[in-house]
Amino acid sequence: MKNKRQEAILSIIARSDVETQEQLLDLLNQAGFRATQATISRDIRELKLVKSMTGRGIYRYERAVRQEQPIPKFNSAVTESIVRVEVSLNILVIHTYSGMAQAVAACLDSMKLENILGCVAGDDTIMAVARDERAAALLAETLRNMIHTL
Amino acid sequence: MKNKRQEAILSIIARSDVETQEQLLDLLNQAGFRATQATISRDIRELKLVKSMTGRGIYRYERAVRQEQPIPKFNSAVTESIVRVEVSLNILVIHTYSGMAQAVAACLDSMKLENILGCVAGDDTIMAVARDERAAALLAETLRNMIHTL
DNA sequence: AGTTTCCTCGTGTGAATATTCATAGATATT
DNA sequence: AATATCTATGAATATTCACACGAGGAAACT
């Protein structure tokens, strides 16, 4: 059901101005779909819809204009030394094999990533400060993917 | 209004079994209070009420019996080296006597505290990243208590 | 081997609840 | 008084919690 429903949502918001999830829910019902607000909240996130202004103070759900972030490419010395990556707010905590933290941090520094303000390293732990929470989450995910592909 | 309302809530849950916030809302209305679910959700947090089981799978709001969190126990080597603990958002900054930071940090690491993502240490300062602000505040308080009791 | 039974997971979901977002009304502060 | 903060709040939305259901195994049995 989920796929059909999400297609229906895309179709609906393409046709009409939807101001609230409640309203979207009504329209879905008319189209024969049964769901709750919680469910379409999740649909909206998965579809990456955004609620934006139109004209005079009126909201409306739309497809996000998706612009890909340029993905930083890491050399293997970095990724092979990383054990685990965690995030809290805008801080990345990167665990490395013992003794590698300094090297990895130096490498990260040298890449001059736009969204990393700086980092400090101990023996097996690096703390990196990202520009904001979004950047932190994004970088963490990228790093984790690098690890998984080893 | 807020105080009266919260008193009313305490009174109501003392008298009757309240299973949901919706139900509490009804009872408040009958008592002449006007509010929404969002508001009593906040009231409940402020009053530190908890939703607990009674008998057969039935929920009920009650005043929390304040039981201390299982406090991680630190060995004295840690606590005796700590001078001061400060928090900013999810970051703990722990000041130690000169030269002790590495040792204390190592010790903290070894405890594998669930809510500490990791930490790095210089000579007399440790920066530890907590999972979130709540965890940071809680740990800071715990550490401070340890210091005070020296 | 083929099947059956029993797990264990993952996924999707609604109900309940918490949180975000925007404002209105107090309360300083200049 | 005008302006800047707080505080409390409702509407909208997101998240938590509990559960149902189906897809893979793995073990037990035939």
Side-chain angles (χ1 to χ4, degrees):
Chain A
M1 264 310 79
K2 189 174 156 188
N3 277 327
K4 300 280 187 191
R5 187 184 59 240
Q6 295 193 345
E7 282 173 30
I9 289 175
L10 288 180
S11 162
I12 287 172
I13 66 163
R15 273 186 282 104
S16 39
D17 285 5
V18 179
E19 279 193 74
T20 68
Q21 294 186 5
E22 198 67 28
Q23 183 183 345
L24 178 53
L25 206 47
D26 283 347
L27 294 172
L28 276 176
N29 276 332
Q30 290 174 27
F33 291 94
R34 177 71 24 86
T36 62
Q37 177 267 323
T39 296
I40 58 177
S41 168
R42 291 183 273 248
D43 285 339
I44 284 170
R45 176 169 46 192
E46 287 170 23
L47 294 170
K48 299 192 199 302
L49 302 185
V50 299
K51 191 172 187 175
S52 58
M53 282 294 210
T54 70
R56 288 294 69 80
I58 296 174
Y59 286 106
R60 164 176 212 289
Y61 281 100
E62 292 174 351
R63 308 184 73 141
V65 272
R66 168 130 322 274
Q67 57 231 343
E68 294 303 321
Q69 305 280 119
I71 305 270
K73 70 183 216 311
F74 302 97
N75 74 47
S76 62
V78 172
T79 57
E80 289 176 13
S81 302
I82 294 177
V83 172
R84 188 162 37 94
V85 179
E86 297 184 280
V87 198
S88 179
L89 301 180
N90 63 321
I91 307 287
L92 285 165
V93 177
I94 304 169
H95 297 273
T96 68
Y97 292 114
S98 185
M100 299 303 295
Q102 293 287 341
V104 173
C107 191
L108 282 175
D109 275 342
S110 75
M111 298 178 65
K112 300 194 188 309
L113 297 177
E114 184 69 15
N115 290 316
I116 296 299
L117 304 189
C119 55
V120 295
D123 174 65
D124 61 2
T125 305
I126 301 166
M127 288 175 43
V129 181
R131 187 167 301 282
D132 53 36
E133 295 185 36
R134 176 169 306 277
L138 189 59
L139 179 60
E141 196 187 330
T142 304
L143 286 172
R144 287 196 191 111
N145 287 339
M146 305 303 297
I147 299 174
H148 290 152
T149 54
L150 288 184
Chain B
M1 260 310 80
K2 190 175 158 189
N3 277 327
K4 302 279 187 190
R5 188 185 58 240
Q6 294 194 345
E7 283 173 29
I9 289 174
L10 288 179
S11 163
I12 287 172
I13 67 162
R15 274 187 282 104
S16 41
D17 284 5
V18 178
E19 279 194 74
T20 67
Q21 294 186 4
E22 199 67 29
Q23 183 183 345
L24 179 53
L25 206 46
D26 283 347
L27 295 173
L28 276 175
N29 276 332
Q30 289 175 26
F33 291 93
R34 178 74 20 87
T36 62
Q37 177 267 323
T39 297
I40 59 177
S41 167
R42 291 182 273 249
D43 285 339
I44 283 170
R45 175 169 46 191
E46 287 170 23
L47 293 170
K48 297 191 199 303
L49 301 185
V50 298
K51 190 170 189 177
S52 58
M53 281 293 208
T54 71
R56 287 294 65 84
I58 297 175
Y59 287 107
R60 166 177 211 287
Y61 281 101
E62 292 175 350
R63 308 183 74 142
V65 274
R66 149 174 334 278
Q67 61 221 338
E68 298 304 321
Q69 306 280 118
I71 305 268
K73 71 183 218 310
F74 301 97
N75 73 49
S76 61
V78 172
T79 57
E80 288 176 13
S81 301
I82 295 177
V83 173
R84 188 161 38 94
V85 179
E86 297 184 281
V87 197
S88 175
L89 301 180
N90 64 322
I91 308 288
L92 285 164
V93 178
I94 303 169
H95 298 273
T96 68
Y97 292 114
S98 183
M100 300 303 296
Q102 295 287 341
V104 173
C107 191
L108 281 175
D109 274 341
S110 75
M111 298 178 66
K112 298 194 186 310
L113 298 176
E114 184 69 16
N115 291 316
I116 296 298
L117 302 190
C119 55
V120 296
D123 175 65
D124 61 1
T125 305
I126 301 166
M127 288 176 45
V129 180
R131 188 166 300 283
D132 53 37
E133 296 183 35
R134 177 171 304 277
L138 189 60
L139 180 60
E141 196 187 329
T142 304
L143 285 172
R144 287 195 191 112
N145 287 340
M146 305 303 297
I147 299 173
H148 291 152
T149 54
L150 288 183

